[in-house]
Amino acid sequence: MTTPPPVDPEIIGFYTETFDEATRLTATADGVLEMVRTQELLRRHLPPAPARILDVGGGPGAHARWLAEDGYQVHLVDPVARHVEQARHAGCTTELGDARKLTAADDSYDAVLLLGPLYHLLDRGDRLQALAEARRVARPGSPVAAAAISRYASLFEHTATTWLERDRVHDAVHDILADGRHEPGRKGFTAAYFHTAGGLVEELRSAGFDHTEVYGIEGPTWALLKATEQHTGTSLIGSPMFRAALAAARAAEPYPDLLAAGSHLLAVARA
């Protein structure tokens, strides 16, 4: 395997100096919805504890923490030094590393998570390499779960925030809808790739996975939570509206047409 290029400095700078990923899944109702639903979906597919889980691109350890509390042996890999330091308090072992070239041995983990890397890898070849690495280190038949940001998430999000009327935001959303790419140097986020459900399945297939199930993590009503919190200044965590959005996400699971309305997609395959 060739050595991948260094992680984009824009990504390192964004998570080191601009954005605190440690609070993303706890500070807002749509963030908590993402966390609750990700937990539900992963617990459905993971082997029993104390299985060994590799959390690739695990950030500051938001998922590693609850997995460790569930009794799993979790090793977290992330390219951002700040995240690795934060994750040391999550009950897992940690390593500074790159999803495209893992140090783990072949067939060494009972499950592999890629809940962040795919949307930070703008080039298809890099995404396929990350998926192939996850498949390599997973034991045969074990689950590999990969998250992606929906192609349509930015349209819903920036309608909720009302930023869609801003020219630079409108142009960025237009480009994402057209080809899934958020180019380097644009404000608000790093360079990123936004998937359709079909595109996510195709990439896993190209990386060697035979069968993939795709779920809409937050369901079709997450943007209602974001809009209401944004414009009222009131937290909706635990509110009746939050519970309704969670119920909607669960109800939407059997209906693939509703995948396009979610903010994040979760693909689960077997190595």
Side-chain angles (χ1 to χ4, degrees), residues 109-153:
Y109 281 91
D110 301 306
V112 180
L113 311 180
L114 294 99
L115 303 185
L118 292 189
Y119 46 84
H120 284 305
L121 296 172
L122 194 58
D123 295 333
R124 171 182 163 85
D126 284 337
R127 297 193 297 274
L128 294 184
Q129 188 168 340
L131 289 168
E133 277 290 271
R135 185 170 179 266
R136 176 184 68 78
V137 304
R139 300 188 198 282
S142 61
V144 174
I149 303 179
S150 167
R151 178 70 53 88
Y152 310 104

Side-chain angles (χ1 to χ4, degrees), residues 5 31 147 179 204:
D179 61 16
L204 269 88

Side-chain angles (χ1 to χ4, degrees), residues 65-77:
R65 180 172 287 102
W66 65 263
L67 287 165
E69 290 171 352
D70 278 3
Y72 290 100
Q73 302 174 61
V74 185
H75 183 65
L76 180 147
V77 180

Side-chain angles (χ1 to χ4, degrees), residues 121-182:
L121 296 172
L122 194 58
D123 295 333
R124 171 182 163 85
D126 284 337
R127 297 193 297 274
L128 294 184
Q129 188 168 340
L131 289 168
E133 277 290 271
R135 185 170 179 266
R136 176 184 68 78
V137 304
R139 300 188 198 282
S142 61
V144 174
I149 303 179
S150 167
R151 178 70 53 88
Y152 310 104
S154 59
L155 177 66
F156 294 126
E157 178 177 7
H158 293 305
T159 300
T161 63
T162 71
W163 291 0
L164 195 59
E165 292 183 332
R166 302 179 185 183
D167 288 344
R168 67 174 180 83
V169 174
H170 177 274
D171 292 346
V173 171
H174 182 273
D175 290 346
I176 291 168
L177 290 172
D179 61 16
R181 293 173 64 89
H182 186 264

